[in-house]
Amino acid sequence: MPEPHTPKIHDDPPAARRPAFPGTDLRSGFLVFLIALPLCLGIALASGFPPIAGILTAIIGGMLVSLLGSARLTIKGPAAGLIVIALGSVQELGQGDLAAGYRRTLAVGVVAAGVQIILALCRTATAGVAMSPSVVHGMLAAIGIIIIAKQAHVVMGVKPRGERPFELLAEIPRSLAHANPRILLLGVLSLLILFGLPLVRARWARAVPAPLVVLAVSVPVGLWFDLHSPHDYRFLSTTYHLGPDYLVRLPGTLLDAVAFPDFSMVLTATSLKYVVMFALIGTVESTLTVLAVDSMDPRKRHSDLNRDLLALGGGNLVSALLGGLPMISEIVRSKANVDAGATSRWSNFFHGALLLLAVTLVPGVLQTIPMAVLAAMLVYTGTRLASPREFVHAGRVGLDQLALFLTTLLVTLATDLLIGVAAGLAVKSVLHWLRGVPVPVFFRPRAEVTRAGPVLHVRIPGAAVFTALLPLRRAVNSAGDTGAGITEVVIDVKDAAMVDHTFLAGIDAMSREWPTATLTFRGLDRFQPVSSHPQATRRRRRA
């Protein structure tokens, strides 16, 4: 483990808790609005929802959820991480009728939002902390590959024949050979800007969001190609078609976009499967994002995870009732928000308000955006989720983590997200069992806490594995609430059968929330790490 550190939390003074309208939040909200506008349209299209549903979701996530008490610096809205779930729900529940599948998916969203609200009221939002990082990263990498497999064909202006991820990936060469040249040009230009702009070291390149530059270049080119009018053109002796089908289409007003759920299939096995995926995976992703964004906060404030989940569940409920997508705390926009100097949740509010103004005042401008450009943005997002760095990182932590990562990734690609995550967790449990962890420990984890003045001692009997994180967190928080002045937290693992990567990573993240406390381990030297990574899984040394 790294050297003990002393995370300090500076709570807001009473005056800071009152609503304010700092100029930096308006500026950061405007920057996030520029990033969110095209992404929300693209995510909705990729999810099988009307494109305006993405904007509607972000408006609710910004203006409503921020007022309900969401985490200070996170941006709520539709996210690429839920595209696969949403599209799968629309296709399976629609049974060939995508419009019916859309409305039935809204009903699934209503129930999933209710589950999130119940989880928040039961104060179980922290359950996401116990999720294996390697399983989460494998899930996100699989989502990234699926997004690339689906959206690459849109970039080329070709409709693929296949439906499964492996089929779509195998079909990319064929689509490239039959690509519509002008649509492909729009997509390639967009990708060059998205991948190339971050490499430019000039200050202006870092100040201007890449999606804005993409729109500034691609929209005029689309107008030059006259995409609004159906027509044919010839290129290298081949005739191709262009027309409004390659552009984003929006309803006349935002009210026209409102759609209501169809609850006729909400109690079927398929609907309940997607309720579980929306509620649990959305909660885990959102919780991990809140923790990550809190670690970026210059003021080192920490968020109430249960309150944030309650606000998120309320926003998802309203969104699903009105025709919107499921939302989470989105990491890319949240990081951009922090980097732009946001100080409070008003930046999230302003980003939603600006989206409302844009779709109300200039809907015609939004309908000049080519769909190939939105697809290119999603392909770029997919490459970031499935970056080769994720594979390398998993391998550096240990071969066991690489096995979890690849199992989750491959099973998800071959089946679906829920089975992929379950397979990753199953492999993790089997590996732990083979390393000597008793089966009862998985179901009855314990954390024994005693306090000696300013020192809090936490003993982990059985095994210091992922299931022990939740009782440990509850015990530490309970002890911290009963008295102030804790200056050191000692985690005693000398009697544990093993210490896993999820436990070490979770403790490190958890320690950053403790008020003025130093984290130390006792008995960790009795274990042999499986790699040189400081948070690698550790097995007992042989005598």
Side-chain angles (χ1 to χ4, degrees), residues 100-125:
Y102 163 53
R103 292 181 180 273
R104 290 165 185 165
T105 297
L106 295 180
V108 168
V110 170
V111 179
V115 172
Q116 289 183 319
I117 292 172
I118 293 172
L119 292 174
L121 294 175
C122 293
R123 304 193 66 78
T124 57

Side-chain angles (χ1 to χ4, degrees), residues 81 83-85 92 134-147 150 163-166 169 274 277 281 403-425:
I83 286 176
V84 175
I85 307 175
E92 287 192 44
S134 298
V135 172
V136 172
H137 291 159
M139 174 190 73
L140 294 176
I143 290 171
I145 292 173
I146 294 171
I147 290 172
K150 290 180 178 294
E163 294 183 356
R164 306 297 301 172
F166 289 121
L169 288 171
Y274 283 104
M277 284 199 281
I281 293 177
L404 300 181
F405 180 92
L406 291 176
T407 297
T408 307
L409 168 65
L410 295 174
V411 175
T412 298
L413 292 176
T415 56
D416 64 36
L417 204 56
L418 191 60
I419 296 176
V421 171
L425 294 177

Side-chain angles (χ1 to χ4, degrees), residues 446-448 450 456-464 472 489-496 498-499 503 507 519-527 540:
R446 290 189 298 154
E448 300 173 358
T450 58
L456 193 68
H457 294 271
V458 183
R459 177 176 171 269
I460 307 294
L472 184 149
V489 177
V490 179
I491 309 293
D492 186 347
V493 295
K494 65 178 183 293
D495 296 324
M498 68 171 291
V499 182
F503 182 85
I507 288 294
L519 168 66
T520 57
F521 275 88
R522 180 175 295 171
L524 202 60
D525 57 345
R526 301 186 181 190
F527 297 84
R540 278 204 166 273

Side-chain angles (χ1 to χ4, degrees), residues 223-506:
L223 293 174
W224 180 40
F225 288 160
D226 194 21
L227 295 181
H228 284 283
S229 303
H231 65 279
D232 296 330
Y233 72 97
R234 291 183 64 81
F235 181 79
L236 298 179
S237 72
T238 303
T239 301
Y240 298 93
H241 179 74
L242 289 178
D245 291 342
Y246 292 100
L247 293 172
V248 171
R249 309 310 300 170
L250 299 177
T253 67
L254 194 59
L255 289 177
D256 295 333
V258 173
F260 300 107
D262 174 3
F263 291 93
S264 62
M265 296 182 62
V266 76
L267 295 180
T268 62
T270 301
S271 290
L272 294 178
K273 177 183 76 170
Y274 283 104
V275 166
V276 171
M277 284 199 281
F278 278 132
L280 296 188
I281 293 177
T283 297
V284 169
E285 279 198 61
S286 196
T287 299
L288 296 177
T289 295
V290 172
L291 291 173
V293 174
D294 280 355
S295 69
M296 305 174 198
D297 185 358
R299 300 185 185 182
K300 302 303 178 186
R301 298 166 292 182
H302 66 278
S303 303
D304 184 333
L305 297 179
N306 290 295
R307 182 180 178 183
D308 181 78
L309 180 58
L310 183 62
L312 181 72
N316 273 325
L317 180 61
V318 175
S319 179
L321 287 172
L322 297 179
L325 286 152
M327 71 180 77
I328 64 170
S329 300
E330 208 281 329
I331 184 61
V332 175
R333 277 161 266 165
S334 296
K335 185 179 186 305
N337 188 43
V338 174
D339 292 343
T343 61
S344 73
R345 59 180 61 96
W346 283 110
S347 57
N348 186 32
F349 178 88
F350 289 137
H351 124 270
L354 290 168
L355 285 170
L356 176 60
L357 288 175
V359 78
T360 302
L361 300 179
V362 289
V365 175
L366 302 184
Q367 297 188 84
T368 62
I369 301 175
M371 288 198 297
V373 173
L374 300 179
M377 293 183 187
L378 292 176
V379 168
Y380 175 71
T381 301
T383 60
R384 298 184 67 178
L385 292 174
S387 169
R389 288 194 297 265
E390 297 294 337
F391 294 78
V392 173
H393 174 74
R396 286 177 177 171
V397 177
L399 292 179
D400 57 338
Q401 301 307 309
L402 182 60
L404 300 181
F405 180 92
L406 291 176
T407 297
T408 307
L409 168 65
L410 295 174
V411 175
T412 298
L413 292 176
T415 56
D416 64 36
L417 204 56
L418 191 60
I419 296 176
V421 171
L425 294 177
V427 169
K428 182 181 182 70
S429 299
V430 170
L431 288 176
H432 284 0
W433 177 70
L434 293 175
R435 288 170 169 170
V437 177
V439 173
V441 169
F442 294 115
F443 304 99
R444 296 174 59 189
R446 290 189 298 154
E448 300 173 358
V449 179
T450 58
R451 181 171 178 179
V455 181
L456 193 68
H457 294 271
V458 183
R459 177 176 171 269
I460 307 294
V465 294
F466 63 103
T467 54
L469 280 171
L470 296 181
L472 184 149
R473 187 183 184 97
R474 286 196 297 267
V476 171
N477 287 344
S478 176
D481 291 339
T482 58
I486 295 177
T487 59
E488 184 179 9
V489 177
V490 179
I491 309 293
D492 186 347
V493 295
K494 65 178 183 293
D495 296 324
M498 68 171 291
V499 182
D500 78 350
H501 166 61
T502 304
F503 182 85
L504 294 174

